[in-house]
Amino acid sequence: MSLESVPPKYAQLVQTLRRRIEAGDYPPGTLLPSENQLIQEFSVSRPTVVAALRVLREQGWIESQQGKGRFVRGRPAMASIEQKRPGQAYLTTPEADTTGDVVEVSAVTAPNRVGVLLDVQPKSKVFVRRRLIVRNAEPTELVSLWLPLDLSGGTDLTSDEPLRQGLREHLQARKGVRFDHIVEQITARMPSADEAKQLAMPPNVPLLAVFGAVRDASGRPLAVVEVLLPADRHELEDAYPIT
């Protein structure tokens, strides 16, 4: 579950409780304040507290014991692994922080996979903003942001200048949408001739194609981030708790 750049109340509570656990205010093995105590202290609703406690439990900061309450486990080992999955990274990092060029800004017919992920009718027009990322003077990634046409209007996404804020932050400010989570898919395929040329790929090298379907809290599709990575230059690593 992602936390918004302007956090909702449950996310603010998650952050506060994490800080207290890390500071030793709630040492490992001690009982966390009850739901009623948290409601009174932070002047929030019960659903807000329940949502925050669920996130802390899922992330490994606390554990529940039937009939006893919620106990502090401490900072989980996974929290020390600083990582951003590809889709998340390109949504939150300002474009101006990476070297690259905007190579396409247009309304196009949605490719099949993008159309399915955006839940639009076949052959519908969608907006695409595509950037070629360059690192150490070598093209390394081709990143496309796909949006329904109504979400691109009135934004700076139609400009060929790099944004000085993250895509999520920009769309939230301009269109009032709130990204809640990403469903990520990774496939491998051979590049098209244009993709191989743009990414300066040698023959017979496949692409890793990462599709991040961005959704709001209700599950409604808002955007798709497509990241194309030459397989000879990238390695995808993930880490997750065993439950």
Side-chain angles (χ1 to χ4, degrees), residues 17-104:
L17 294 177
R18 280 179 184 164
R19 285 195 294 268
R20 290 187 179 183
I21 292 172
E22 291 189 296
D25 297 337
Y26 303 146
T30 60
L31 191 64
L32 198 70
S34 68
E35 289 182 13
N36 288 335
Q37 289 173 318
L38 294 172
I39 290 169
Q40 293 175 5
E41 178 179 356
F42 294 99
S43 300
V44 294
S45 67
R46 187 172 300 277
T48 295
V49 170
V50 170
L53 294 175
R54 183 181 68 249
V55 172
L56 290 171
R57 185 182 69 251
E58 290 174 350
Q59 294 180 343
W61 293 83
I62 64 174
E63 63 181 352
S64 298
Q65 294 186 18
Q66 187 68 30
K68 295 184 179 180
R70 298 175 178 88
F71 288 82
V72 177
R73 296 180 62 186
R75 180 180 177 86
M78 293 298 302
S80 65
I81 301 176
E82 297 295 334
Q83 63 173 2
K84 283 188 178 179
R85 292 175 169 87
Q88 179 188 357
Y90 291 108
L91 285 172
T92 57
T93 303
E95 289 183 343
D97 287 358
T98 57
T99 303
D101 297 314
V102 177
V103 296
E104 183 178 359

Side-chain angles (χ1 to χ4, degrees), residues 72-176:
V72 177
R73 296 180 62 186
R75 180 180 177 86
M78 293 298 302
S80 65
I81 301 176
E82 297 295 334
Q83 63 173 2
K84 283 188 178 179
R85 292 175 169 87
Q88 179 188 357
Y90 291 108
L91 285 172
T92 57
T93 303
E95 289 183 343
D97 287 358
T98 57
T99 303
D101 297 314
V102 177
V103 296
E104 183 178 359
V105 175
S106 60
V108 300
T109 300
N112 289 339
R113 180 184 288 268
V114 171
V116 170
L117 293 175
L118 285 178
D119 194 23
V120 299
Q121 293 296 318
K123 299 184 179 180
S124 295
K125 292 285 188 178
V126 295
F127 174 81
V128 61
R129 178 180 178 85
R130 183 170 288 128
R131 294 185 75 228
L132 180 65
I133 308 299
V134 178
R135 305 181 195 278
N136 299 319
E138 179 182 44
T140 59
E141 297 123 82
L142 194 59
V143 183
S144 302
L145 175 71
W146 303 88
L147 293 170
L149 290 179
D150 63 317
L151 280 186
S152 63
T155 71
D156 292 340
L157 298 176
T158 56
S159 167
D160 59 5
E161 294 295 321
L163 296 181
R164 298 191 176 278
Q165 58 187 165
L167 295 168
R168 182 183 69 176
E169 181 183 358
H170 186 72
L171 283 169
Q172 180 174 303
R174 293 295 182 89
K175 306 300 288 188

